[in-house]
Amino acid sequence: MIDLDRAVPPARPAPPVTRALPAALVVVLLAFLLGPSAPMPRVRELAQVAATASPSGTWLLTGTTLYSTHTRTTGRLEVIAWSLDSGTAIWQRDVDWFAGIPALTEIGPALVVSGNDDTRILDVRTGADRVDPRTYSLARAAGDRIALWDGAAGTLALYDPKQDRIRWKQPFSARPHAIAATSAHLLAVTDSSTTTLALDNGDLVHSTDRVAAAGSTPTVRVIDDRAYLLGDSTVTMIDGRRTWTLPLLLPRAITACGTLVCVSGGPGLSAIELLNGHVVWNNRNWIGGEGGIVRTADGRALLIDPGTGVARRDLGYGLPAGDLLIRPDGPGLSVVEWAAGQVRGHLPGSTPSGCRRTGRHLACQQTGGQVKVWRLL
């Protein structure tokens, strides 16, 4: 029988402890012993690399620079270029501006600032004019070049910013509403016609009367070297002389979607076959489709099979940004790597109205109008 009330002396004394374990080893042992139930380390805050000094209007994030605009009551527009390396302003430029909300596009060494009836072609390094602003009243991106329209002279020109020269100039009396370039053609859409010009010399390739029901404010997007015209109630594909038109209410955005193109608009998301314009599938509660990810009407992100429209995985609430999701998280935002579900970082005190990602940088506009940029990697 064992007497539980009597302590049994050890057979021999315990050896003395000669030294304590190193602190780092203790942490490793605790993590090993506690396993998955151990508390996870605190999610790090992403490093902020740049921010505008005041609320911004239109803004643009590129791989190296944040461009911001600030409209003044005097009718002047301030454009500022912020370095993502130093976080400081590279240059600041004031211009006369009465052309409404400006659009910003970086094309090689040129920054295009365009409006309704005014345009500026600025050098990305200095902010100086690369093209005389008194000559052209409209500028639109055309691949890695810039289409310039001179309303007074009735000409359309193609400017090459890398070579800093006008490649060609052709008579073109009607104001183009939308312009896009494929590898071989320049497409210009006016109130009454759609014109295809040779990209290398501006020669006329093909011209048609107004595309049926194209609408008064069309836009053009190029995907896989095909041009797509989005009107008020149609989507039209133009590939040289080949074309098709699909009736579709209020198309607003188009993107590559596997081997199809996905159009977001009035009826939700429609996946369209490239060659004949047939709708393969649609979903009234979805938008997006880029990279096989769609957003639902209630703000969730889904990974889908673009060929069939079948949902493969629910990624939860958030705004897709490449391989990331941007999610509201308390007083800020969490940046989540959706493939693994891992939180990559946190944006403290940030409640942005819009975020954009370029490579390893993420920029978000705050509710007060200021734009901040963080480094992701």
Side-chain angles (χ1 to χ4, degrees):
M1 177 180 295
I2 300 174
D3 189 352
L4 299 179
D5 295 327
R6 185 171 63 88
V8 179
R12 58 183 178 181
V17 177
T18 57
R19 61 177 180 175
L21 289 174
L25 183 57
V26 172
V27 173
V28 173
L29 288 174
L30 286 175
F32 175 76
L33 293 173
L34 294 176
S37 62
M40 297 297 292
R42 184 173 181 267
V43 175
R44 68 181 178 91
E45 295 180 356
L46 294 178
Q48 182 178 309
V49 297
T52 60
S54 61
S56 176
T58 306
W59 56 278
L60 173 68
L61 177 70
T62 71
T64 60
T65 311
L66 169 68
Y67 300 99
S68 63
T69 63
H70 311 267
T71 304
R72 298 180 176 178
T73 57
T74 57
R76 295 182 68 82
L77 179 71
E78 181 183 46
V79 184
I80 305 177
W82 306 87
S83 168
L84 301 186
D85 289 330
S86 66
T88 59
I90 306 170
W91 51 261
Q92 176 271 334
R93 177 73 190 277
D94 278 357
V95 298
D96 291 325
W97 193 261
F98 301 96
I101 299 175
L104 303 178
T105 310
E106 187 184 74
I107 305 175
L111 175 69
V112 181
V113 185
S114 57
N116 297 330
D117 296 299
D118 201 356
T119 190
R120 295 290 189 279
I121 312 296
L122 307 181
D123 189 284
V124 298
R125 298 166 302 173
T126 65
D129 289 312
R130 294 177 64 95
V131 176
D132 188 346
R134 297 168 297 180
T135 303
Y136 300 100
S137 57
L138 183 144
R140 294 291 184 268
D144 59 355
R145 300 169 191 175
I146 304 170
L148 301 169
W149 183 66
D150 182 350
T155 60
L156 185 67
L158 189 68
Y159 171 67
D160 187 337
K162 291 182 179 179
Q163 298 184 5
D164 194 22
R165 70 183 183 93
I166 300 293
R167 296 292 299 269
W168 51 257
K169 186 181 294 186
Q170 295 284 7
F172 204 89
S173 59
R175 184 184 191 278
H177 289 296
I179 289 176
T182 64
S183 60
H185 300 118
L186 181 75
L187 187 73
V189 182
T190 70
D191 282 332
S192 59
S193 67
T194 301
T195 302
T196 303
L197 306 174
L199 190 63
D200 58 351
N201 56 21
D203 287 349
L204 178 65
V205 174
H206 187 60
S207 183
T208 65
D209 292 337
R210 179 174 180 158
V211 178
S216 58
T217 56
T219 58
V220 179
R221 298 289 182 267
V222 175
I223 301 174
D224 293 333
D225 217 32
R226 294 183 177 92
Y228 296 88
L229 172 64
L230 307 182
D232 285 344
S233 57
T234 60
V235 176
T236 299
M237 188 280 293
I238 301 174
D239 183 11
R241 295 179 180 273
R242 293 190 306 133
T243 183
W244 53 253
T245 296
L246 172 70
L248 193 67
L249 181 63
L250 298 175
R252 289 295 176 259
I254 185 168
T255 185
C257 198
T259 60
L260 310 173
V261 289
C262 283
V263 180
S264 300
L269 188 67
S270 299
I272 303 171
E273 202 275 332
L274 302 181
L275 296 180
N276 54 33
H278 292 163
V279 175
V280 178
W281 57 263
N282 58 26
N283 190 302
R284 292 185 175 274
N285 295 317
W286 292 355
I287 61 173
E290 185 175 5
I293 298 179
V294 300
R295 293 186 66 200
T296 66
D298 63 352
R300 302 182 73 85
L302 303 177
L303 182 65
I304 68 165
D305 177 1
T308 62
V310 174
R312 290 177 170 174
R313 181 179 170 189
D314 188 339
L315 304 178
Y317 291 100
L319 179 68
D323 62 341
L324 304 175
L325 283 178
I326 304 168
R327 291 176 175 164
D329 183 8
L333 296 173
S334 284
V335 179
V336 182
E337 188 176 340
W338 59 259
Q342 179 182 358
V343 179
R344 183 176 291 185
H346 184 67
L347 309 182
S350 181
T351 54
S353 57
C355 292
R356 302 168 194 170
R357 181 188 178 185
T358 303
R360 66 193 190 115
H361 291 107
L362 175 70
C364 296
Q365 187 161 25
Q366 313 302 294
T367 53
Q370 186 187 26
V371 180
K372 295 182 179 181
V373 186
W374 295 268
R375 183 178 294 111
L376 294 172
L377 303 176

